[in-house]
Amino acid sequence: MKTLSPVDQLFLYLEKRQQPMHVAGLQLFSFPEGAGPKYVSELARSIREYSSPEPPFNQRLTRRFGQYQWMEDQQFDMDHHFRHEALPKPGRIRELLSLVSAEHSNLLDRERPLWEAHLIEGIRGRQFALYTKVHHSVVDGISAMRMGMRALSPDPEERDLPPVWAYKPKKRGRGLPSNPVDAVSSLARLTTGASRQIATVPALAREIYSVTQKAKDDPNFVSIFQAPDTILNQCITGSRRFAAQSYSLDRLKRLSGAFNCTLNDVVLSMCGHALREYLISQNALPDRPLIAMVPMSLRKDDSAGGNQIAMILANLGTHICDPANRLRVVQASVREAKKRFSQMSSEEILNFTALSMAPTGLNLLTGLAPKWRAFNVIISNVPGPHEPLYWNGARLEGMYPVSIVLDRIALNMTLTSYRGQIEFGLIACRRTLPSMQRLLDYLEQSIRELEIAAGFK
């Protein structure tokens, strides 16, 4: 038996009926050329043969002396974890997203290994989907993405590819937080490497105080208590709504060139516009701008080892109507945060993140100070593959992340890139944020308005 790390234990303690703590991915495939009408049924039959999963997919929880531990499941039941389903007619993407919304609302059974895979047929246009969810105590968002990619191939002729749970495991490492839910784990990490960590705290406390004072004089400057009260920050229920859409990467790159900003700045500006329009439709737009918590890479070279990721607070400019001015505000807030981190050591970056996110972490753990709010929404960008991928000859047409919402953080906007597309996956509490799917239309509207501002139309 292996005891879970303190961070992974925390994800289990945070889980409640209204706050499931699993991450997931939705992959949309097209049938291989020449595939018959029973193709998906035959695929399901072949997948069920992989009934002896590899770690961590064969591990279930046990508890000893108050600590969660992993132990091998000696009574593994493939029929519980792998399910073959069909959409009701007419089999549109709307029905697919409704199914994913319902499944993502359900807690995983802690008496079994904490994962499920749903093979879904009946989708219009000779397509099928795979929805896979795994508890955050098992994998983080980037680890899940990498595991999903290992199950695919760039070769359309390759066959006999096993499902993700049948691959030999690779050693899992955790560096700086790679998933927005790790705002809580940042607080836990403050105790690791105690002597080096504690030595940085006084200087960082002064830096946070300085940031807070600057925010009083500059409305575009972001401090840790600047996020306004919004409908996004109410208590959540266990009901989920998932919405997904792809947008052209070339269009966004063209905009980043026109405005001399990064692709991430354009994406954040899109999200700011979408949230502004949504809140206006709900008669709930605050006077002050919404603040997003954004995991941001700080890597300055092409090295692959380790993580160099911090969590920044970005001003989304939701108080600004003009799209070009909003983009400039977003760009300025992100640039200022990057500049601050560029002057810090890795320990200082980790501790600054932990101290900045401490109010949010304490609220998630205790709920004692709901007005202490560092951010309103989570926006995360997980890098994806550029080349087309296949699963036993079936072409991957789209891949959409399905993340986690937390109490008083009722919306998570996660995106990834694939084959010239930016794929958005939006997950929200259905009851807290009604008609959340309108955000997809507002994201497209934002691109068009930026193109007009850039003189493209």
Side-chain angles (χ1 to χ4, degrees), residues 58-127:
N58 66 344
Q59 304 291 304
R60 71 173 183 86
L61 288 172
T62 186
R63 202 167 181 182
R64 188 179 184 190
F65 305 123
Q67 296 263 309
Y68 284 107
Q69 296 180 322
W70 294 121
M71 63 177 295
E72 185 174 351
D73 186 359
Q74 300 294 335
Q75 298 178 320
F76 184 83
D77 180 4
M78 177 56 72
D79 287 336
H80 174 83
H81 296 276
F82 174 69
R83 302 172 191 180
H84 177 201
E85 300 166 317
L87 290 184
K89 290 182 178 181
R92 299 164 299 182
I93 295 300
R94 178 185 300 179
E95 280 76 40
L96 175 62
L97 297 181
S98 293
L99 186 150
V100 171
S101 299
E103 291 294 346
H104 207 68
S105 303
N106 297 328
L107 293 167
L108 289 162
D109 184 355
R110 292 196 181 188
E111 297 298 314
R112 305 171 187 268
L114 296 175
W115 64 274
E116 291 177 5
H118 299 251
L119 184 67
I120 306 162
E121 64 174 321
I123 305 173
R124 279 181 177 176
R126 289 174 57 80
Q127 293 182 316

Side-chain angles (χ1 to χ4, degrees), residues 120-426:
I120 306 162
E121 64 174 321
I123 305 173
R124 279 181 177 176
R126 289 174 57 80
Q127 293 182 316
F128 68 96
L130 184 66
Y131 164 72
T132 308
K133 69 178 183 181
V134 187
H135 200 276
H136 205 320
S137 63
V138 181
V139 295
D140 60 33
I142 288 182
S143 297
M145 173 69 73
R146 288 173 178 166
M147 284 195 298
M149 292 306 96
R150 287 204 304 270
L152 305 175
S153 170
D155 182 3
E157 302 303 322
E158 188 170 356
R159 298 294 188 272
D160 300 322
L161 290 170
V164 65
W165 60 85
Y167 275 88
K168 296 289 183 182
K170 291 187 177 181
K171 187 175 180 180
R172 176 189 175 193
R174 285 186 183 265
L176 294 178
S178 60
N179 187 284
V181 178
D182 288 351
V184 186
S185 68
S186 295
L187 196 58
R189 293 171 194 273
L190 197 58
T191 60
T192 62
S195 60
R196 286 185 304 166
Q197 303 282 358
I198 293 172
T200 69
V201 170
L204 293 178
R206 288 193 296 270
E207 177 67 20
I208 289 178
Y209 175 79
S210 174
V211 167
T212 304
Q213 294 304 304
K214 287 179 182 178
K216 294 180 180 179
D217 302 321
D218 184 351
N220 296 325
F221 203 91
V222 181
S223 76
I224 63 172
F225 297 117
Q226 191 175 336
D229 189 23
T230 75
I231 61 172
L232 277 65
N233 308 116
Q234 302 178 74
C235 293
I236 61 172
T237 70
S239 180
R240 296 290 174 266
R241 181 62 183 263
F242 177 62
Q245 184 66 55
S246 300
Y247 303 91
S248 169
L249 186 57
D250 285 341
R251 291 176 72 189
L252 305 193
K253 286 181 176 178
R254 194 178 179 206
L255 287 170
S256 70
F259 289 101
N260 192 28
C261 64
T262 68
L263 182 64
N264 203 52
D265 293 337
V266 174
V267 168
L268 290 174
S269 181
M270 288 171 57
C271 294
H273 172 92
L275 288 166
R276 172 185 167 85
E277 294 301 316
Y278 175 79
L279 291 173
I280 288 174
S281 74
Q282 301 295 314
N283 297 313
L285 179 66
D287 294 332
R288 288 184 292 155
L290 267 65
I291 305 300
M293 193 272 280
V294 186
M296 182 69 66
S297 174
L298 301 173
R299 193 178 299 281
K300 298 179 181 179
D301 54 32
D302 295 327
S303 62
N307 291 293
Q308 296 180 29
I309 298 175
M311 295 184 194
I312 70 168
L313 299 177
N315 184 331
L316 294 180
T318 51
H319 61 308
I320 298 173
C321 179
D322 181 78
N325 286 340
R326 183 186 307 112
L327 178 53
R328 293 186 188 101
V329 167
V330 169
Q331 182 184 23
S333 71
V334 172
R335 184 177 292 167
E336 189 279 330
K338 286 182 176 179
K339 179 181 178 182
R340 183 190 310 127
F341 284 135
S342 70
Q343 300 168 353
M344 296 181 183
S345 67
S346 59
E347 288 85 4
E348 288 171 335
I349 292 172
L350 176 61
N351 285 353
F352 186 90
T353 299
L355 290 171
S356 299
M357 299 302 166
T360 300
L362 290 173
N363 268 322
L364 286 172
L365 290 170
T366 67
L368 294 179
K371 298 300 182 182
W372 287 12
R373 185 175 303 109
F375 55 90
N376 302 105
V377 62
I378 295 168
I379 303 176
S380 180
N381 190 344
V382 181
H386 300 292
E387 72 279 3
L389 295 175
Y390 300 84
W391 187 33
N392 295 307
R395 182 183 174 111
L396 179 66
E397 300 294 348
M399 48 188 298
Y400 306 97
V402 195
S403 194
I404 296 172
V405 296
L406 302 167
D407 204 27
R408 301 186 186 278
I409 309 170
L411 174 65
N412 186 306
M413 308 175 78
T414 305
L415 55 141
T416 189
S417 54
Y418 172 61
R419 203 168 54 91
Q421 300 282 343
I422 291 287
E423 322 258 56
F424 272 82
L426 311 183

